[in-house]
Amino acid sequence: MIAARYTQGGGFAVTDAPEPVAEPGGLVVRIDAASICGTDIKILNHGHRKLRDGQTITLGHEFVGTIVEVNGSSNGFAVGQQVGVAPNIGCGHCGMCMQGMGNMCPAYSAFGIDRDGAHAPLVAIPRAAIEQALVIPLPDGADPRAATLAEPLSCVVAAQRATRIEPGDTVVIYGAGPMGLLHVMLAATSGAGRIIVADRNPARLALARELGAADTVNVSEQSVRDWAREHAPGGVDVVIIAVPVPEIQTEALEILAPLGRLCLFAGWPRGTTGVPLDTNAVHYKSLLVTGTTGGAPRDYVASLKLIGSGRVDVRRVVSHVYSFADLAKAYDTAASGTALKVVIAAQP
Ligand SMILES: [Zn+2]
Ligand SMILES: [Zn+2]
């Protein structure tokens, strides 16, 4: 079958890969839709710390599909059922796993990161993923091209849980890429009073306004610091950084109001150094500084509900849909940096 394959130290290729088989207690899922993530592109360019030199994997951790094989005990799953899969499989017995937070397990394994993922027509789901409640049935009639975004949305849900947006809050979101835009839509449903989005791409800022931002700052014309001085002199309640620029963290601490909350949502490749932070501002303004990565199964379930009800219309951040035959083109588009979310669908 066709697959988007990455070899640590050897690069990326759309090539032929063997079809997977289900391990005892596991499943094989036929992909209905999968999306390409910034993390996939980061892996192409920088590799991944969880991969050994020379190790080859099929990329893709955002996906939904239909069960086509059940090996042995079905655990309640059946051929023909449509499922989404939260992609981080924990060790199953550490403190984080006991709390249902496999994404924070020190020994986690993930589809498309260190095991074969879903940028291929078929993916094997191990028994451990079922046992950890990572395989989640989709509601009847779900649109797979939207449901595949439950994974990225789950990361946004996890971040906003940690950041505790309260009704009426002024929320600044740095970055109007797909993740920043999902943050805009979710913050709007969470009762944010005023959402401000900063980016340098006018088209993306225009979309941010359509999706709920009251104001936007084009940072090639004005800094958010200057914007805040004029429009939010008392400071803002929440800052979410969804763009990998370390210097923004310094500015974020300055513009936060007392009792403000900061989420360092974007990570950057290893080797990029961070910036010194004014920890005295954290002390005297009683700030909450947090960071999140990935989402837990409960965040994935919440995301499916938000997508299903239309409360978060994730289709607004999908810019391209390709078939598996155009897998190479899908990656070219995603790597160009000009697309929003690129989706690969069995039926585009
Ligand atoms: Zn992702
Ligand atoms: Zn664990």
Side-chain angles (χ1 to χ4, degrees):
M1 63 178 182
I2 191 172
R5 304 274 280 173
Y6 173 76
T7 304
Q8 182 95 324
F12 171 75
V14 171
T15 180
D16 197 48
E19 291 197 0
V21 286
E23 66 172 40
L27 312 168
V28 172
V29 165
R30 176 167 41 75
I31 301 304
D32 294 324
S35 31
I36 301 179
C37 175
T39 299
D40 298 318
I41 306 303
K42 202 154 70 174
I43 292 173
L44 302 193
N45 293 324
H46 303 281
H48 199 283
R49 65 189 165 84
K50 291 186 78 72
L51 288 170
R52 300 184 308 275
D53 244 14
Q55 188 180 351
T56 301
I57 49 127
T58 297
L59 290 165
H61 57 271
E62 304 174 357
F63 62 98
V64 296
T66 303
I67 296 171
V68 290
E69 187 189 341
V70 175
N71 184 344
S73 152
S74 71
N75 287 297
F77 289 101
V79 168
Q81 199 171 9
Q82 203 175 31
V83 294
V85 180
N88 303 302
I89 305 167
C91 70
H93 49 77
C94 74
M96 289 296 111
C97 285
M98 278 194 271
Q99 296 177 58
M101 301 278 290
N103 58 311
M104 298 307 295
C105 170
Y108 83 97
S109 163
F111 293 96
I113 305 288
D114 64 351
R115 64 167 58 234
D116 283 343
H119 290 163
L122 298 167
V123 64
I125 310 296
R127 195 181 68 178
I130 298 169
E131 288 172 349
Q132 291 177 31
L134 305 181
V135 183
I136 296 148
L138 298 190
D140 285 343
D143 174 1
R145 291 165 300 181
T148 180
L149 269 70
E151 198 284 328
L153 184 58
S154 76
C155 304
V156 168
V157 168
Q160 293 199 13
R161 272 191 214 283
T163 316
R164 303 182 200 157
I165 293 178
E166 291 180 11
D169 274 352
T170 297
V171 178
V172 169
I173 295 164
Y174 283 90
M179 299 310 276
L181 294 170
L182 291 178
H183 271 295
V184 171
M185 287 190 275
L186 185 63
T189 68
S190 303
R194 191 179 174 206
I195 299 169
I196 298 93
V197 177
D199 199 287
R200 54 180 74 249
N201 180 325
R204 289 184 176 192
L205 290 174
L207 181 53
R209 286 192 295 273
E210 279 180 40
L211 299 181
D215 210 346
T216 52
V217 181
N218 187 325
V219 292
S220 45
E221 294 161 5
Q222 184 188 25
S223 73
V224 176
R225 187 183 277 116
D226 288 345
W227 177 91
R229 208 170 278 143
E230 194 177 333
H231 300 278
V236 304
D237 302 301
V238 170
V239 175
I240 296 168
I241 304 180
V243 63
V245 180
E247 290 71 26
I248 291 174
Q249 299 179 348
T250 310
E251 186 176 73
L253 288 186
E254 286 176 34
I255 65 170
L256 277 169
L259 301 179
R261 286 135 278 148
L262 168 62
C263 181
L264 310 177
F265 181 74
W268 36 81
R270 286 200 147 200
T272 308
T273 31
V275 289
L277 292 181
D278 180 5
T279 48
N280 222 20
V282 177
H283 173 78
Y284 280 108
K285 290 202 281 186
S286 273
L287 303 178
L288 172 73
V289 178
T290 184
T292 58
T293 178
R298 68 172 182 150
D299 304 316
Y300 194 99
V301 170
S303 298
L304 281 176
K305 288 181 186 162
L306 289 162
I307 293 169
S309 66
R311 298 285 290 157
V312 177
D313 187 1
V314 293
R315 286 167 299 196
R316 298 299 303 273
V317 304
V318 175
S319 60
H320 297 77
V321 182
Y322 292 102
S323 67
F324 275 106
D326 285 326
L327 190 52
K329 211 196 259 177
Y331 263 86
D332 283 346
T333 304
S336 72
T338 56
L340 287 173
K341 215 62 187 160
V342 175
V343 169
I344 305 140
Q347 291 170 333

